[in-house]
Amino acid sequence: KGKGYNYIMMRDCAERGSKMENSTPVLKVQTFGTLQIVYGDTPVLLGKHSVTKAMRLLLILLYNGTQGIARNRLLSELFENEELSNAANSLRVTSHRLKKTLVELGFPEHEYITSKGGYYYWDCPMEVEIDARTFEDLIDQAKKCEDVKEKAGLLQTACELYKGEFLAKMSGEEWVIMESIRLKKMYTDAMKFVCEFLMQARDYEETLRIVGS
């Protein structure tokens, strides 16, 4: 057996590990229109449910991604009416509750929430797909695109992701209001470009379809 056998064992372990990583379900977040968070086939939050403090924390961290969110801002957004000392304790309790809930729903054991240099970050072992971030990425790609037809295609794909107001269930929160306004303008500008392109191409049927959807 010797070294050859050890190499095969190591290779097989690596392949199994790779398959396990690839088989990890995706965490999908729909923020436009009806709010939904789904991990693989497991609903974490669906539109019919109320948004708890723990779910608000999850959404804020997910949306801010790798850039993170400043601790003071996070405390303000979650516990705006509480004193700082109480808010800090509430954040610890809410973070613990969120982690516990995720594991109970079948998420892998993981830290999930990390803090460094006065910032809080979402840290998870699975891929995360957020419709609003995909929407922005497509529009950014379109801005760099010199081919008009390709640009229109990217913008149309982005517009089809926009299924309604951003985080409508949290529409009273300042950060949501600001993001909602910004994203709505991006959608309006993109839709205008796509419609003008389709009209020039005399594709009236497709124009009516996307306007009416």
Side-chain angles (χ1 to χ4, degrees):
K1 294 179 180 179
K3 291 182 180 178
Y5 176 79
N6 289 335
Y7 168 76
I8 292 169
M9 288 292 290
M10 289 170 66
R11 184 193 63 194
D12 289 347
C13 287
E15 287 176 355
R16 283 198 297 272
S18 177
K19 286 176 183 176
M20 286 178 67
E21 287 178 8
N22 293 336
S23 65
T24 303
V26 177
L27 181 61
K28 296 183 179 181
V29 186
Q30 180 179 318
T31 61
F32 290 131
T34 303
L35 173 61
Q36 293 191 21
I37 306 176
V38 180
Y39 175 57
D41 296 323
T42 305
V44 179
L45 175 68
L46 296 178
K48 61 183 179 181
H49 298 298
S50 60
V51 183
T52 64
K53 277 277 197 300
M55 287 299 107
R56 286 171 61 200
L57 174 60
L58 174 62
L59 285 163
I60 290 170
L61 292 174
L62 283 170
Y63 193 69
N64 283 279
T66 55
Q67 70 181 18
I69 180 170
R71 179 177 180 273
N72 288 342
R73 185 180 157 205
L74 180 59
L75 291 172
S76 175
E77 288 174 356
L78 280 174
F79 314 103
E80 56 185 347
N81 296 321
E82 292 187 31
E83 293 182 7
L84 185 59
S85 58
N86 292 336
N89 184 59
S90 295
L91 179 58
R92 283 191 291 272
V93 172
T94 303
S95 298
H96 176 75
R97 186 178 299 128
L98 174 58
K99 292 175 189 177
K100 183 180 177 184
T101 299
L102 293 176
V103 173
E104 287 173 350
L105 286 167
F107 281 57
E109 289 281 353
H110 199 76
E111 191 61 28
Y112 290 107
I113 302 168
T114 60
S115 60
K116 184 179 179 181
Y119 276 74
Y120 276 74
Y121 301 87
W122 173 254
D123 174 28
C124 70
M126 74 282 292
E127 182 184 349
V128 180
E129 293 179 2
I130 304 175
D131 58 351
R133 291 308 189 194
T134 304
F135 170 82
E136 282 195 83
D137 288 344
L138 286 165
I139 287 180
D140 286 343
Q141 288 178 46
K143 287 178 181 176
K144 300 169 186 175
C145 189
E146 295 181 0
D147 184 273
V148 177
K149 185 177 181 180
E150 187 179 346
K151 180 176 182 177
L154 288 166
L155 292 176
Q156 184 170 344
T157 303
C159 288
E160 287 171 356
L161 287 173
Y162 192 94
K163 301 181 185 301
E165 185 181 348
F166 174 74
L167 292 179
K169 282 207 165 192
M170 296 165 60
S171 59
E173 299 184 25
E174 186 177 350
W175 78 272
V176 174
I177 293 170
M178 298 301 292
E179 280 298 284
S180 182
I181 292 169
R182 186 178 70 86
L183 293 167
K184 181 63 181 288
K185 185 180 187 306
M186 290 170 69
Y187 167 73
T188 302
D189 291 346
M191 182 63 83
K192 181 181 177 183
F193 183 95
V194 172
C195 287
E196 287 177 353
F197 172 81
L198 291 172
M199 290 296 287
Q200 287 177 5
R202 298 187 177 182
D203 193 342
Y204 306 122
E205 187 175 336
E206 181 65 5
T207 306
L208 289 171
R209 186 191 72 79
I210 66 168
V211 169
S213 60

